[in-house]
Amino acid sequence: MPTMNIGMITARPMNFCTLDELSQMRMGELIFETTLPVVAGLDTARITDSTILTIIQAPAMNIKPHVCMWAEWQGDNTKVQAKEVNQILSNFPNLQLMNIDTLHGIGHGIADMLPTNLPIVRYPMEPVRQAWMWQIVREAIVNRSFTYPDVQEPERYKFEEQMTELHTKYIGDKLKVEAPSGRNDDYADSFALAWSAIAELYYMSSDNTPSHISTVPSDAEKNNKEQEVVRRIRPHTG
């Protein structure tokens, strides 16, 4: 796995990122259906935490990757979760890649029940892979390489809370990022899985290291109205 220069982590040894850093990328809406290319990350739950699905719209001309939506399930009912994940993904027919955390084996249960034609990667988040994953997420934050919905929804608040609560430390030369004791990191892990897919598909350079895109979202991005193919209305669930 590549090693990247992200010295801002060592300057802030206890916190992975700040709300001020994240909030500069907060813009746009939730997207529940699109024919544009997307990737996804699925962090699977054990009994006491949540399974989180994060879907990110892939980069396009002058448009950074955008978090379309999050979905959350409590507990470890893999049959129900697999069914509902598949239902959500049916609204994103141009899914390019979904990384599923399988480190503890739980993700395999969901992956086994999803259609075989889905582009799924079973992604065990072991230490070396995690170090690389969080390095590229940190680079994306520093360079403001993505956007996420500016909405008054609990999912957005959980995403921001968990990302800004993450602690960083080094074990040997390996970066370790984790939630404080008693706190959750499911939204953060799910985003990191999805961002890894973005990096692998779109930003890997010839020497197999991710390269960031332009730094600050432009006014044109903030006001972009060109996605007529996207429906931004929350589906009826009742």
Side-chain angles (χ1 to χ4, degrees):
M1 294 294 182
T3 300
M4 301 171 60
N5 181 9
I6 47 170
M8 290 186 69
I9 285 183
T10 58
R12 193 179 295 112
M14 290 301 294
N15 295 98
F16 181 71
C17 67
T18 68
L19 184 57
D20 181 63
E21 289 176 313
L22 275 183
S23 63
Q24 294 180 63
M25 298 180 288
R26 187 198 302 148
M27 61 187 70
E29 303 175 72
L30 289 163
I31 298 172
F32 296 98
E33 182 177 5
T34 181
T35 59
L36 295 174
V38 299
V39 303
L42 187 69
D43 183 59
T44 53
R46 284 163 283 185
I47 294 173
T48 58
D49 54 14
S50 299
T51 290
I52 307 296
L53 174 68
T54 301
I55 297 177
I56 301 178
Q57 186 173 297
M61 289 183 58
N62 301 316
I63 301 176
K64 291 182 172 66
H66 178 71
V67 174
C68 296
M69 62 168 290
W70 303 272
E72 178 175 1
W73 296 265
Q74 297 288 331
D76 60 350
N77 188 330
T78 55
K79 184 175 181 180
V80 169
Q81 291 174 17
K83 178 181 178 181
E84 294 183 0
V85 165
N86 190 44
Q87 289 173 342
I88 291 170
L89 293 178
S90 69
N91 295 318
F92 298 89
N94 206 354
L95 176 69
Q96 303 295 295
L97 179 64
M98 178 164 70
N99 286 332
I100 300 180
D101 176 25
T102 55
L103 179 61
H104 299 290
I106 300 168
H108 288 297
I110 295 179
D112 288 343
M113 288 182 278
L114 290 171
T116 57
N117 64 333
L118 288 178
I120 292 171
V121 171
R122 300 176 191 235
Y123 197 99
M125 292 172 64
E126 44 77 29
V128 173
R129 191 183 296 263
Q130 280 198 47
W132 173 80
M133 181 179 74
W134 287 114
Q135 285 173 334
I136 62 172
V137 171
R138 178 62 194 166
E139 184 187 56
I141 293 170
V142 169
N143 292 292
R144 305 182 198 174
S145 296
F146 64 92
T147 59
Y148 66 96
D150 185 9
V151 292
Q152 307 300 312
E153 298 288 347
E155 294 89 351
R156 187 210 104 193
Y157 294 114
K158 290 180 181 181
F159 170 71
E160 290 180 334
E161 179 180 65
Q162 291 186 17
M163 290 291 289
T164 56
E165 286 184 345
L166 291 173
H167 285 180
T168 67
K169 62 181 178 181
Y170 278 86
I171 299 177
D173 62 346
K174 297 294 187 299
L175 173 68
K176 183 174 179 59
V177 178
E178 60 187 357
S181 178
R183 305 295 290 172
N184 294 320
D185 56 8
D186 312 303
Y187 278 82
D189 283 347
S190 177
F191 173 81
L193 286 161
W195 189 257
S196 297
I198 289 284
E200 290 159 5
L201 290 176
Y202 297 98
Y203 297 151
M204 286 296 194
S205 62
S206 59
D207 64 352
N208 201 38
T209 60
S211 58
H212 62 75
I213 55 181
S214 57
T215 56
V216 182
S218 66
D219 291 339
E221 287 177 287
K222 296 180 182 180
N223 299 310
N224 187 274
K225 303 296 183 184
E226 299 175 354
Q227 297 173 334
E228 290 85 2
V229 295
V230 175
R231 188 181 68 189
R232 297 182 176 88
I233 302 173
R234 183 181 290 274
H236 176 67
T237 58

